[in-house]
Amino acid sequence: AAVLDLFAANRPMNVIPPVEAYPPNAALAPVLAESGFFRVQDDFQLPGHAGCVYGYRAVEGVTPYRVASYAQFFERAPEAVRQQLHAVRFVVTWQQEYLNSPLAPEEVASAPSAPGAPNADGITKTFELTASEPRRAFLAHTVAVTPTDDAVYARLSDQAFDPFATVILSQAVNVSPGAGGDAVTVESDTPGRIRLRTVSGSAAVLVFSEAYYPGWRAAVDGQPAKLLRADGALLAVSLPAGS
């Protein structure tokens, strides 16, 4: 009787047609057709955990807590710089013309969505950023030493700042001007473990497109290496010249 009473009391919740929380979405067609390493920026158009369900890397997520340095980077870094360092290839947005990024955005898909602020048009659009290839990691030969987070974001906001040439650190490390011929090859990339092979003619900083967190450990040629926080929120390691 108790079970029947509970069922009756909750009948409006128990007797409902099944709902597909993640139906096929035409706006994601170009995302799912793309291969290689890249991330997707969702401007509040997709259901929570969409990246996990549809199988792509997202720059955001649904979580009860956020790493403070990453949250600050997401909120304070200029969008174009953040997209380059986050390796963003696609932006799924309510904006009908994506004007926030100078990274040559090209509309590649659109789909109806539930109208609402700020998506008054009721159309979700997907733009592909085509100005540069998403990078899992890169070598920087110039270091800007900044003592505070405010100084980091002031430097990131400088229109002359090139995020792939200069890395912002809280301390000086040994680097030398690049002589060309740098190479970064991904040997394996699984959740919680990244293995890269690098070649450089001079000392450099290897910057990963991955959120900094002190639980990470780094090793260079099998020897423990100091983990650096780059550009306010990314992983980095100092490397000598060579392979």
PDB file of all heavy atoms in Angstrom, residues 111-140:
ATOM      1  N   ALA A 111      20.697  25.317 -36.710  1.00  0.00           N
ATOM      2  CA  ALA A 111      19.598  24.445 -36.307  1.00  0.00           C
ATOM      3  C   ALA A 111      18.643  25.229 -35.430  1.00  0.00           C
ATOM      4  O   ALA A 111      19.057  26.139 -34.709  1.00  0.00           O
ATOM      5  CB  ALA A 111      20.116  23.220 -35.553  1.00  0.00           C
ATOM      6  N   PRO A 112      17.335  24.895 -35.486  1.00  0.00           N
ATOM      7  CA  PRO A 112      16.381  25.570 -34.592  1.00  0.00           C
ATOM      8  C   PRO A 112      16.728  25.285 -33.138  1.00  0.00           C
ATOM      9  O   PRO A 112      17.221  24.222 -32.785  1.00  0.00           O
ATOM     10  CB  PRO A 112      15.039  24.941 -34.979  1.00  0.00           C
ATOM     11  CG  PRO A 112      15.251  24.330 -36.317  1.00  0.00           C
ATOM     12  CD  PRO A 112      16.680  23.911 -36.359  1.00  0.00           C
ATOM     13  N   SER A 113      16.507  26.266 -32.296  1.00  0.00           N
ATOM     14  CA  SER A 113      16.677  26.085 -30.858  1.00  0.00           C
ATOM     15  C   SER A 113      15.563  26.826 -30.147  1.00  0.00           C
ATOM     16  O   SER A 113      14.834  27.607 -30.758  1.00  0.00           O
ATOM     17  CB  SER A 113      18.042  26.611 -30.401  1.00  0.00           C
ATOM     18  OG  SER A 113      18.178  27.985 -30.709  1.00  0.00           O
ATOM     19  N   ALA A 114      15.412  26.563 -28.886  1.00  0.00           N
ATOM     20  CA  ALA A 114      14.337  27.211 -28.129  1.00  0.00           C
ATOM     21  C   ALA A 114      14.633  28.697 -27.998  1.00  0.00           C
ATOM     22  O   ALA A 114      15.673  29.078 -27.455  1.00  0.00           O
ATOM     23  CB  ALA A 114      14.218  26.572 -26.753  1.00  0.00           C
ATOM     24  N   PRO A 115      13.737  29.567 -28.508  1.00  0.00           N
ATOM     25  CA  PRO A 115      13.992  31.003 -28.395  1.00  0.00           C
ATOM     26  C   PRO A 115      14.081  31.418 -26.929  1.00  0.00           C
ATOM     27  O   PRO A 115      13.416  30.878 -26.066  1.00  0.00           O
ATOM     28  CB  PRO A 115      12.773  31.638 -29.077  1.00  0.00           C
ATOM     29  CG  PRO A 115      12.213  30.557 -29.935  1.00  0.00           C
ATOM     30  CD  PRO A 115      12.493  29.278 -29.208  1.00  0.00           C
ATOM     31  N   GLY A 116      14.923  32.377 -26.677  1.00  0.00           N
ATOM     32  CA  GLY A 116      15.071  32.886 -25.325  1.00  0.00           C
ATOM     33  C   GLY A 116      16.250  33.815 -25.262  1.00  0.00           C
ATOM     34  O   GLY A 116      17.124  33.784 -26.114  1.00  0.00           O
ATOM     35  N   ALA A 117      16.274  34.664 -24.254  1.00  0.00           N
ATOM     36  CA  ALA A 117      17.374  35.616 -24.120  1.00  0.00           C
ATOM     37  C   ALA A 117      18.663  34.856 -23.864  1.00  0.00           C
ATOM     38  O   ALA A 117      18.699  33.984 -22.999  1.00  0.00           O
ATOM     39  CB  ALA A 117      17.091  36.577 -22.980  1.00  0.00           C
ATOM     40  N   PRO A 118      19.747  35.141 -24.575  1.00  0.00           N
ATOM     41  CA  PRO A 118      19.813  36.176 -25.623  1.00  0.00           C
ATOM     42  C   PRO A 118      19.478  35.658 -27.023  1.00  0.00           C
ATOM     43  O   PRO A 118      19.600  36.389 -27.988  1.00  0.00           O
ATOM     44  CB  PRO A 118      21.278  36.606 -25.548  1.00  0.00           C
ATOM     45  CG  PRO A 118      21.999  35.353 -25.194  1.00  0.00           C
ATOM     46  CD  PRO A 118      21.079  34.605 -24.267  1.00  0.00           C
ATOM     47  N   ASN A 119      19.056  34.388 -27.144  1.00  0.00           N
ATOM     48  CA  ASN A 119      18.786  33.816 -28.470  1.00  0.00           C
ATOM     49  C   ASN A 119      17.357  34.110 -28.905  1.00  0.00           C
ATOM     50  O   ASN A 119      16.526  33.216 -29.016  1.00  0.00           O
ATOM     51  CB  ASN A 119      19.052  32.310 -28.459  1.00  0.00           C
ATOM     52  CG  ASN A 119      19.055  31.710 -29.849  1.00  0.00           C
ATOM     53  OD1 ASN A 119      18.835  32.417 -30.833  1.00  0.00           O
ATOM     54  ND2 ASN A 119      19.306  30.420 -29.938  1.00  0.00           N
ATOM     55  N   ALA A 120      17.087  35.368 -29.185  1.00  0.00           N
ATOM     56  CA  ALA A 120      15.737  35.763 -29.565  1.00  0.00           C
ATOM     57  C   ALA A 120      15.345  35.226 -30.932  1.00  0.00           C
ATOM     58  O   ALA A 120      14.157  35.094 -31.235  1.00  0.00           O
ATOM     59  CB  ALA A 120      15.629  37.287 -29.553  1.00  0.00           C
ATOM     60  N   ASP A 121      16.316  34.893 -31.781  1.00  0.00           N
ATOM     61  CA  ASP A 121      16.016  34.397 -33.120  1.00  0.00           C
ATOM     62  C   ASP A 121      15.618  32.925 -33.129  1.00  0.00           C
ATOM     63  O   ASP A 121      15.043  32.446 -34.105  1.00  0.00           O
ATOM     64  CB  ASP A 121      17.224  34.595 -34.045  1.00  0.00           C
ATOM     65  CG  ASP A 121      17.523  36.058 -34.293  1.00  0.00           C
ATOM     66  OD1 ASP A 121      16.803  36.669 -35.103  1.00  0.00           O
ATOM     67  OD2 ASP A 121      18.455  36.583 -33.672  1.00  0.00           O
ATOM     68  N   GLY A 122      15.939  32.213 -32.056  1.00  0.00           N
ATOM     69  CA  GLY A 122      15.582  30.802 -32.006  1.00  0.00           C
ATOM     70  C   GLY A 122      16.380  29.930 -32.942  1.00  0.00           C
ATOM     71  O   GLY A 122      15.954  28.829 -33.288  1.00  0.00           O
ATOM     72  N   ILE A 123      17.530  30.400 -33.382  1.00  0.00           N
ATOM     73  CA  ILE A 123      18.404  29.624 -34.269  1.00  0.00           C
ATOM     74  C   ILE A 123      19.797  29.538 -33.637  1.00  0.00           C
ATOM     75  O   ILE A 123      20.403  30.542 -33.283  1.00  0.00           O
ATOM     76  CB  ILE A 123      18.530  30.263 -35.663  1.00  0.00           C
ATOM     77  CG1 ILE A 123      17.167  30.295 -36.356  1.00  0.00           C
ATOM     78  CG2 ILE A 123      19.539  29.516 -36.516  1.00  0.00           C
ATOM     79  CD1 ILE A 123      16.607  28.935 -36.696  1.00  0.00           C
ATOM     80  N   THR A 124      20.289  28.316 -33.508  1.00  0.00           N
ATOM     81  CA  THR A 124      21.662  28.100 -33.050  1.00  0.00           C
ATOM     82  C   THR A 124      22.558  27.948 -34.273  1.00  0.00           C
ATOM     83  O   THR A 124      22.234  27.199 -35.184  1.00  0.00           O
ATOM     84  CB  THR A 124      21.755  26.828 -32.188  1.00  0.00           C
ATOM     85  OG1 THR A 124      21.055  27.049 -30.964  1.00  0.00           O
ATOM     86  CG2 THR A 124      23.209  26.491 -31.873  1.00  0.00           C
ATOM     87  N   LYS A 125      23.678  28.650 -34.278  1.00  0.00           N
ATOM     88  CA  LYS A 125      24.605  28.575 -35.391  1.00  0.00           C
ATOM     89  C   LYS A 125      25.954  28.050 -34.925  1.00  0.00           C
ATOM     90  O   LYS A 125      26.374  28.292 -33.790  1.00  0.00           O
ATOM     91  CB  LYS A 125      24.769  29.940 -36.059  1.00  0.00           C
ATOM     92  CG  LYS A 125      23.500  30.398 -36.789  1.00  0.00           C
ATOM     93  CD  LYS A 125      23.763  31.570 -37.704  1.00  0.00           C
ATOM     94  CE  LYS A 125      22.520  31.904 -38.538  1.00  0.00           C
ATOM     95  NZ  LYS A 125      22.770  33.001 -39.502  1.00  0.00           N
ATOM     96  N   THR A 126      26.624  27.332 -35.809  1.00  0.00           N
ATOM     97  CA  THR A 126      27.959  26.817 -35.542  1.00  0.00           C
ATOM     98  C   THR A 126      28.939  27.473 -36.497  1.00  0.00           C
ATOM     99  O   THR A 126      28.730  27.463 -37.714  1.00  0.00           O
ATOM    100  CB  THR A 126      28.010  25.291 -35.715  1.00  0.00           C
ATOM    101  OG1 THR A 126      27.083  24.685 -34.817  1.00  0.00           O
ATOM    102  CG2 THR A 126      29.406  24.766 -35.410  1.00  0.00           C
ATOM    103  N   PHE A 127      29.998  28.065 -35.929  1.00  0.00           N
ATOM    104  CA  PHE A 127      31.029  28.715 -36.720  1.00  0.00           C
ATOM    105  C   PHE A 127      32.337  27.955 -36.550  1.00  0.00           C
ATOM    106  O   PHE A 127      32.665  27.504 -35.452  1.00  0.00           O
ATOM    107  CB  PHE A 127      31.222  30.169 -36.284  1.00  0.00           C
ATOM    108  CG  PHE A 127      30.050  31.055 -36.609  1.00  0.00           C
ATOM    109  CD1 PHE A 127      28.978  31.174 -35.743  1.00  0.00           C
ATOM    110  CD2 PHE A 127      30.016  31.776 -37.802  1.00  0.00           C
ATOM    111  CE1 PHE A 127      27.894  31.993 -36.032  1.00  0.00           C
ATOM    112  CE2 PHE A 127      28.938  32.593 -38.101  1.00  0.00           C
ATOM    113  CZ  PHE A 127      27.868  32.696 -37.227  1.00  0.00           C
ATOM    114  N   GLU A 128      33.080  27.818 -37.631  1.00  0.00           N
ATOM    115  CA  GLU A 128      34.392  27.194 -37.592  1.00  0.00           C
ATOM    116  C   GLU A 128      35.457  28.285 -37.667  1.00  0.00           C
ATOM    117  O   GLU A 128      35.407  29.152 -38.540  1.00  0.00           O
ATOM    118  CB  GLU A 128      34.565  26.216 -38.759  1.00  0.00           C
ATOM    119  CG  GLU A 128      35.898  25.487 -38.727  1.00  0.00           C
ATOM    120  CD  GLU A 128      36.022  24.434 -39.815  1.00  0.00           C
ATOM    121  OE1 GLU A 128      35.110  24.368 -40.668  1.00  0.00           O
ATOM    122  OE2 GLU A 128      37.020  23.689 -39.810  1.00  0.00           O
ATOM    123  N   LEU A 129      36.410  28.239 -36.741  1.00  0.00           N
ATOM    124  CA  LEU A 129      37.502  29.204 -36.723  1.00  0.00           C
ATOM    125  C   LEU A 129      38.649  28.624 -37.541  1.00  0.00           C
ATOM    126  O   LEU A 129      39.231  27.602 -37.174  1.00  0.00           O
ATOM    127  CB  LEU A 129      37.942  29.475 -35.281  1.00  0.00           C
ATOM    128  CG  LEU A 129      36.816  29.884 -34.311  1.00  0.00           C
ATOM    129  CD1 LEU A 129      37.388  30.207 -32.946  1.00  0.00           C
ATOM    130  CD2 LEU A 129      36.027  31.071 -34.856  1.00  0.00           C
ATOM    131  N   THR A 130      38.966  29.272 -38.642  1.00  0.00           N
ATOM    132  CA  THR A 130      39.864  28.670 -39.624  1.00  0.00           C
ATOM    133  C   THR A 130      41.202  29.376 -39.758  1.00  0.00           C
ATOM    134  O   THR A 130      42.001  29.018 -40.627  1.00  0.00           O
ATOM    135  CB  THR A 130      39.184  28.638 -41.004  1.00  0.00           C
ATOM    136  OG1 THR A 130      38.828  29.986 -41.375  1.00  0.00           O
ATOM    137  CG2 THR A 130      37.924  27.792 -40.969  1.00  0.00           C
ATOM    138  N   ALA A 131      41.489  30.372 -38.925  1.00  0.00           N
ATOM    139  CA  ALA A 131      42.718  31.143 -39.116  1.00  0.00           C
ATOM    140  C   ALA A 131      43.960  30.358 -38.747  1.00  0.00           C
ATOM    141  O   ALA A 131      45.037  30.617 -39.281  1.00  0.00           O
ATOM    142  CB  ALA A 131      42.658  32.439 -38.300  1.00  0.00           C
ATOM    143  N   SER A 132      43.853  29.411 -37.818  1.00  0.00           N
ATOM    144  CA  SER A 132      45.028  28.634 -37.427  1.00  0.00           C
ATOM    145  C   SER A 132      44.591  27.250 -36.977  1.00  0.00           C
ATOM    146  O   SER A 132      43.439  27.040 -36.587  1.00  0.00           O
ATOM    147  CB  SER A 132      45.790  29.329 -36.303  1.00  0.00           C
ATOM    148  OG  SER A 132      44.993  29.423 -35.138  1.00  0.00           O
ATOM    149  N   GLU A 133      45.522  26.295 -37.034  1.00  0.00           N
ATOM    150  CA  GLU A 133      45.235  24.936 -36.610  1.00  0.00           C
ATOM    151  C   GLU A 133      45.261  24.842 -35.082  1.00  0.00           C
ATOM    152  O   GLU A 133      46.153  25.411 -34.445  1.00  0.00           O
ATOM    153  CB  GLU A 133      46.263  23.966 -37.200  1.00  0.00           C
ATOM    154  CG  GLU A 133      46.080  23.687 -38.677  1.00  0.00           C
ATOM    155  CD  GLU A 133      44.755  22.996 -38.968  1.00  0.00           C
ATOM    156  OE1 GLU A 133      44.411  22.041 -38.251  1.00  0.00           O
ATOM    157  OE2 GLU A 133      44.068  23.418 -39.910  1.00  0.00           O
ATOM    158  N   PRO A 134      44.311  24.132 -34.487  1.00  0.00           N
ATOM    159  CA  PRO A 134      44.355  23.926 -33.036  1.00  0.00           C
ATOM    160  C   PRO A 134      45.643  23.201 -32.638  1.00  0.00           C
ATOM    161  O   PRO A 134      46.073  22.263 -33.312  1.00  0.00           O
ATOM    162  CB  PRO A 134      43.121  23.055 -32.771  1.00  0.00           C
ATOM    163  CG  PRO A 134      42.221  23.286 -33.937  1.00  0.00           C
ATOM    164  CD  PRO A 134      43.128  23.503 -35.102  1.00  0.00           C
ATOM    165  N   ARG A 135      46.262  23.635 -31.561  1.00  0.00           N
ATOM    166  CA  ARG A 135      47.536  23.064 -31.128  1.00  0.00           C
ATOM    167  C   ARG A 135      47.379  22.394 -29.767  1.00  0.00           C
ATOM    168  O   ARG A 135      46.922  23.005 -28.807  1.00  0.00           O
ATOM    169  CB  ARG A 135      48.602  24.156 -31.029  1.00  0.00           C
ATOM    170  CG  ARG A 135      48.796  24.947 -32.316  1.00  0.00           C
ATOM    171  CD  ARG A 135      49.988  25.864 -32.224  1.00  0.00           C
ATOM    172  NE  ARG A 135      50.031  26.818 -33.319  1.00  0.00           N
ATOM    173  CZ  ARG A 135      51.044  27.637 -33.562  1.00  0.00           C
ATOM    174  NH1 ARG A 135      52.117  27.608 -32.774  1.00  0.00           N
ATOM    175  NH2 ARG A 135      51.005  28.488 -34.573  1.00  0.00           N
ATOM    176  N   ARG A 136      47.791  21.128 -29.699  1.00  0.00           N
ATOM    177  CA  ARG A 136      47.784  20.423 -28.407  1.00  0.00           C
ATOM    178  C   ARG A 136      48.863  20.969 -27.497  1.00  0.00           C
ATOM    179  O   ARG A 136      48.705  21.018 -26.285  1.00  0.00           O
ATOM    180  CB  ARG A 136      48.017  18.912 -28.633  1.00  0.00           C
ATOM    181  CG  ARG A 136      47.820  18.065 -27.369  1.00  0.00           C
ATOM    182  CD  ARG A 136      46.397  18.183 -26.929  1.00  0.00           C
ATOM    183  NE  ARG A 136      46.022  17.330 -25.832  1.00  0.00           N
ATOM    184  CZ  ARG A 136      45.761  17.774 -24.597  1.00  0.00           C
ATOM    185  NH1 ARG A 136      45.915  19.064 -24.316  1.00  0.00           N
ATOM    186  NH2 ARG A 136      45.346  16.965 -23.659  1.00  0.00           N
ATOM    187  N   ALA A 137      49.980  21.376 -28.106  1.00  0.00           N
ATOM    188  CA  ALA A 137      51.090  21.968 -27.364  1.00  0.00           C
ATOM    189  C   ALA A 137      51.972  22.710 -28.349  1.00  0.00           C
ATOM    190  O   ALA A 137      51.925  22.459 -29.556  1.00  0.00           O
ATOM    191  CB  ALA A 137      51.878  20.893 -26.621  1.00  0.00           C
ATOM    192  N   PHE A 138      52.800  23.611 -27.838  1.00  0.00           N
ATOM    193  CA  PHE A 138      53.704  24.368 -28.701  1.00  0.00           C
ATOM    194  C   PHE A 138      54.914  24.817 -27.892  1.00  0.00           C
ATOM    195  O   PHE A 138      54.892  24.834 -26.646  1.00  0.00           O
ATOM    196  CB  PHE A 138      52.991  25.576 -29.321  1.00  0.00           C
ATOM    197  CG  PHE A 138      52.445  26.561 -28.319  1.00  0.00           C
ATOM    198  CD1 PHE A 138      53.213  27.643 -27.895  1.00  0.00           C
ATOM    199  CD2 PHE A 138      51.176  26.411 -27.784  1.00  0.00           C
ATOM    200  CE1 PHE A 138      52.721  28.548 -26.964  1.00  0.00           C
ATOM    201  CE2 PHE A 138      50.674  27.309 -26.859  1.00  0.00           C
ATOM    202  CZ  PHE A 138      51.448  28.382 -26.447  1.00  0.00           C
ATOM    203  N   LEU A 139      55.978  25.180 -28.592  1.00  0.00           N
ATOM    204  CA  LEU A 139      57.206  25.651 -27.964  1.00  0.00           C
ATOM    205  C   LEU A 139      57.298  27.166 -28.091  1.00  0.00           C
ATOM    206  O   LEU A 139      57.152  27.713 -29.195  1.00  0.00           O
ATOM    207  CB  LEU A 139      58.416  24.997 -28.633  1.00  0.00           C
ATOM    208  CG  LEU A 139      58.575  23.493 -28.381  1.00  0.00           C
ATOM    209  CD1 LEU A 139      59.516  22.877 -29.406  1.00  0.00           C
ATOM    210  CD2 LEU A 139      59.078  23.238 -26.962  1.00  0.00           C
ATOM    211  N   ALA A 140      57.544  27.833 -26.970  1.00  0.00           N
ATOM    212  CA  ALA A 140      57.699  29.292 -26.951  1.00  0.00           C
ATOM    213  C   ALA A 140      59.135  29.632 -26.569  1.00  0.00           C
ATOM    214  O   ALA A 140      59.701  29.039 -25.644  1.00  0.00           O
ATOM    215  CB  ALA A 140      56.727  29.922 -25.962  1.00  0.00           C
TER     216      ALA A 140
END
